[in-house]
Amino acid sequence: MVPGKGMKTILVLPGDGIGPEITEATLAVMQAAAKDLIQIRTMAIGEASLVSKGSTFPDKVLEAVPAADGVLLGPVSHYTYPAGQPNPSATLRTRFNLFANIRPCRSRPDLSILRKPMDLIIVRENTEGFYADRSMHMGPGEFMPDPDSAFSIRKITAAATRNVAQAACELASARSGRLTVVHKANVLKLTDGLFLREVRAIAAQHPGVTLDEVIVDAAAALLIRDPARFDVIVTTNMFGDILSDEASELSGSLGLGGSINAGEDICVGQAQHGSAPDIAGQGIANPTSLILSAAMLLDWMGRRANDAALTGAARRIEAAVDRTLDDPRTRTRDIGGMLGTAAFADAVVQAL
C-alpha cells in the first residue's frame, strides 16, 4: 500500500455463513458513498476457498493483502475448519502485525439498555495474549501433558504493548485525553505487570493524556453502572474481546459495532460478530457492524493518504446508518424492525 490520493483498491474477503450476504450489502453502501474513490477486488477464503483451492486462506490471497489499500473481511467459521486449516482472521492479524483492534461503542437511545449514555472506544491488543493461535512461533499455544490436564500459554511482549498503547494514546489525544488501561495485574503479576509498565511509559510521552488504571472485574461492572467513566480503553487481547462485546451489546446490539484491525501500513475492516451459520442464506442478517467497519476502514485510508474525499465518505456512511437506525421502520428484525439484509442496505443508501 502506497499513501497518496487517487483510486484506492479494497480487497474484499466475504467469508463464511452470513459473510457473503452482509458483504454484498456493505459493498452496496460503500460504492454508493465512494463510487469514484474505490475499486473492489473480491477473493474467496474460508469454506469457499477450501473447496476450490484446498485451503481456507490460499497463498494468493495472502499475497494480495499488502498490494491493496485496505481489506474488508467478512465473518469466518474457523471453529468448523478441518484441523490444520488457518483462521483467516488470526492469520491476517499476526502475519501483518495488525496490533490494534479498535472498537467504538456508542449507545443508541431507544436500543441501549443502559441508564446512562455510552460513547467510548476499546483498543484491544490483537496479536498475542491468551489466544492459542497467535502466542507461539511454532506449535499450538495450548497443550495437554496428560489426558486430565490442559494448559494455555499467555504471551505479552513489550513491543506489542507499546504498539497498542501508542495507538490508544493517539486516539485519546484526539478525544478527551482520558485513557484507561484495563488489567488483572493483581493476579497476573508478570504478564499484566509488563503490560502496565509499557502502557505507563507510552502514556508518559503524551502530555495531553491522563492515564487511569482499572482491574478488569471492576471495568466490566463500570461499563454497566457508569459508562461515562471511560473514553478510550486499552487492554490485552482476551480482556478487550470480552469487554468490547459487552459494551456493544449494552449500547444496543453486538450487531451494531464497527471494528478495524490496524497496523502501520495495513488495515482490515471486520464486523465484531461471528458468521451466524444458523441464519445464513435467509437474508435476515443485520449488516450494520460490517457497514460501520467499512466506514472506519475508509476513514483510516483517508487519514493515511490525507484524502478528505475518503474521510468524507466515511462520515456520510456513519451518518446514514444513524439516520436509518433512528427510525424503527428501517431497522432489521433482530433489533425490532422489519427489514432484511438487502432492504436495510437500500435504506442506508437512500439516507446517504
Side-chain angles (χ1 to χ4, degrees):
M1 304 183 195
V2 179
K5 298 182 180 180
M7 185 74 74
K8 303 297 183 184
T9 299
I10 296 179
L11 176 64
V12 176
L13 312 174
D16 306 315
I18 61 172
E21 300 162 64
I22 65 172
T23 299
E24 182 178 357
T26 298
L27 290 179
V29 174
M30 291 183 76
Q31 290 172 323
K35 60 182 177 181
D36 297 323
L37 306 173
I38 59 172
Q39 56 187 3
I40 302 300
R41 181 185 184 188
T42 301
M43 300 183 78
I45 59 165
E47 294 167 350
S49 65
L50 181 61
V51 172
S52 62
K53 304 293 184 182
S55 171
T56 53
F57 207 0
D59 290 342
K60 289 290 186 183
V61 179
L62 273 173
E63 293 168 6
V65 170
D69 296 288
V71 179
L72 187 68
L73 174 65
V76 292
S77 302
H78 61 88
Y79 49 87
T80 65
Y81 293 168
Q85 289 293 338
N87 172 358
S89 178
T91 301
L92 282 167
R93 295 175 185 189
T94 55
R95 184 71 64 90
F96 298 106
N97 194 27
L98 307 182
F99 47 80
N101 182 208
I102 301 171
R103 295 183 168 189
C105 301
R106 178 169 55 87
S107 57
R108 299 180 184 275
D110 60 339
L111 291 174
S112 173
I113 64 172
L114 291 167
R115 290 176 292 179
K116 299 177 181 179
M118 171 186 287
D119 184 4
L120 56 86
I121 299 176
I122 295 178
V123 186
R124 162 195 175 197
E125 200 293 314
N126 216 16
T127 63
E128 51 187 33
F130 263 130
Y131 284 70
D133 59 358
R134 64 202 76 170
S135 61
M136 304 290 281
H137 172 62
M138 293 186 68
E142 289 187 308
F143 57 94
M144 295 181 68
D146 63 66
D148 298 312
S149 301
F151 294 81
S152 182
I153 302 296
R154 187 187 203 218
K155 176 185 177 183
I156 302 291
T157 66
T161 304
R162 286 194 294 268
N163 283 338
V164 74
Q166 179 65 30
C169 284
E170 290 173 2
L171 283 169
S173 295
R175 288 168 59 95
S176 69
R178 294 187 294 123
L179 176 63
T180 301
V181 56
V182 172
H183 64 94
K184 190 70 173 175
N186 57 324
V187 174
L188 300 167
K189 297 181 183 296
L190 296 181
T191 50
D192 266 3
L194 174 59
F195 190 82
L196 277 176
R197 185 192 80 188
E198 296 303 319
V199 172
R200 290 167 182 160
I202 295 297
Q205 300 172 15
H206 294 263
V209 171
T210 300
L211 183 66
D212 187 22
E213 300 177 7
V214 178
I215 292 175
V216 65
D217 316 51
L222 286 167
L223 283 172
I224 300 169
R225 187 171 73 244
D226 187 18
R229 165 76 178 267
F230 304 111
D231 188 52
V232 177
I233 293 173
V234 62
T235 190
T236 54
N237 201 338
M238 183 174 288
F239 294 163
D241 195 2
I242 295 168
L243 291 177
S244 59
D245 282 0
E246 177 195 1
S248 290
E249 191 63 31
L250 290 170
S251 65
S253 167
L254 187 58
L256 302 180
S259 171
I260 56 171
N261 306 288
E264 292 292 342
D265 301 308
I266 294 174
C267 184
V268 176
Q270 180 181 14
Q272 286 194 28
H273 56 74
S275 60
D278 55 316
I279 61 169
Q282 299 178 38
I284 61 173
N286 185 344
T288 302
S289 181
L290 193 61
I291 292 172
L292 290 176
S293 301
M296 292 178 69
L297 174 63
L298 291 175
D299 181 68
W300 181 91
M301 292 163 55
R303 286 186 289 105
R304 186 166 182 269
N306 194 27
D307 189 335
L310 283 171
T311 56
R315 298 289 83 80
R316 289 195 300 277
I317 292 173
E318 291 172 348
V321 169
D322 286 347
R323 287 192 290 271
T324 305
L325 292 175
D326 283 345
D327 187 345
R329 297 170 299 177
T330 52
R331 295 173 183 164
T332 50
R333 300 177 194 179
D334 59 305
I335 51 174
M338 296 296 294
L339 298 187
T341 310
F344 179 82
D346 290 343
V348 173
V349 169
Q350 292 300 314
L352 281 169

